[in-house]
Amino acid sequence: MDAEGFYYPGGRPPAYTVIEINMMQGRTSVTQKALIKELFSKIESGAGISPVDIEVTIKEQPAHCWGFRGMT
């Protein structure tokens, strides 16, 4: 997709990145915050994208909403 096809808030650089994580319910808020902080750190050190230009959203669903390995 061409850069013109992406929408992002004004004032954001081309490196602006949105990450959406689908997660099974049950992890504590401490664990989720640790994941977000680790993502900020690793993306900054590995890709050079400032945490200011990264947005992370975690969406949780109960276990009965998941299906994998042929099972529910």
Side-chain angles (χ1 to χ4, degrees):
M1 182 178 247
D2 293 328
E4 296 79 33
F6 289 97
Y7 169 80
Y8 50 93
R12 297 294 186 161
Y16 175 69
T17 302
V18 176
I19 299 168
E20 183 177 295
I21 300 169
N22 288 302
M23 182 181 290
M24 196 177 295
Q25 261 179 345
R27 278 110 180 146
T28 67
S29 61
V30 171
T31 299
Q32 292 177 8
K33 287 180 180 185
L35 171 61
I36 292 169
K37 288 179 182 179
E38 188 70 13
L39 285 169
F40 286 152
S41 175
K42 295 289 186 183
I43 292 169
E44 184 174 32
S45 65
I49 301 173
S50 170
V52 173
D53 296 320
I54 301 168
E55 294 185 14
V56 178
T57 303
I58 295 176
K59 295 184 175 186
E60 290 185 288
Q61 300 89 23
H64 70 267
C65 292
W66 287 77
F68 45 87
R69 298 183 192 155
M71 301 177 69
T72 60

